Amino acid sequence: MVDRPGLIVPEITERYGVSPDTVRTVWARHPEWPGPAGKRGRYKEYDAQAVADFVRKHIERQAVELEPRRLYTAQQLEDAGIGIKAGTIRADLTRGRWPEPDDAEHGVKRWYGQTAMTAMTSRRSYRRNREG
């Protein structure tokens, strides 16, 4: 097998775990999406490093490191820069897409930093801090 420096849409979808429609109708319409480096069969071929750089810059979001044993409200999580709004946390909680609060004293829902970090790394497009 020849190691190609370029990727076509099916290879991009496999590598990054997204649908072909996401690549074609969302990513490829972004102003900073790399231009095609050539063509392979019926597909445009994109430079693999340029695609990786685009994903790192525009798609993947670093998970914020929170104090694991500190309790945070939804607003405090938003203010800490986790990448989602307090309203989204509350809506996702209602829909079962966010963990139940670790504490709800006096009607104020709060989550430990560890709970929020775990929830964020399981969300699409988030990853734990890693080198390289």
Side-chain angles (χ1 to χ4, degrees):
M1 177 183 233
V2 176
D3 187 28
R4 298 180 181 273
L7 298 171
I8 58 175
V9 170
E11 295 165 341
I12 295 169
T13 63
E14 185 177 332
R15 181 173 289 185
Y16 296 102
V18 296
S19 74
D21 283 340
T22 296
V23 175
R24 286 190 296 266
T25 63
V26 180
W27 294 10
R29 291 184 181 172
H30 191 283
E32 292 189 40
W33 177 252
K39 193 164 177 148
R40 189 175 352 138
R42 64 185 183 104
Y43 294 102
K44 293 176 184 174
E45 189 172 37
Y46 300 92
D47 178 73
Q49 187 59 53
V51 171
D53 292 345
F54 172 84
V55 169
R56 187 173 29 266
K57 184 175 180 184
H58 299 286
I59 306 302
E60 285 187 338
R61 295 174 274 185
Q62 290 287 335
V64 172
E65 294 295 323
L66 301 170
E67 295 175 43
R69 298 300 303 160
R70 176 181 166 198
L71 286 165
Y72 295 84
T73 64
Q75 187 61 54
Q76 288 170 330
L77 290 169
E78 177 184 342
D79 294 345
I82 66 169
I84 60 174
K85 303 269 186 203
T88 302
I89 292 170
R90 289 187 282 273
D92 283 358
L93 176 63
T94 301
R95 293 179 178 98
R97 297 186 301 220
W98 188 261
E100 289 295 320
D102 295 305
D103 179 72
E105 188 175 334
H106 306 295
V108 177
K109 295 175 182 162
R110 300 184 306 165
W111 295 265
Y112 284 116
Q114 184 61 51
T115 302
M117 288 187 298
T118 300
M120 292 305 296
T121 56
S122 67
R123 290 176 75 92
R124 191 173 192 174
S125 300
Y126 282 87
R127 62 184 171 87
R128 290 191 182 278
N129 288 329
R130 64 179 181 225
E131 292 186 29

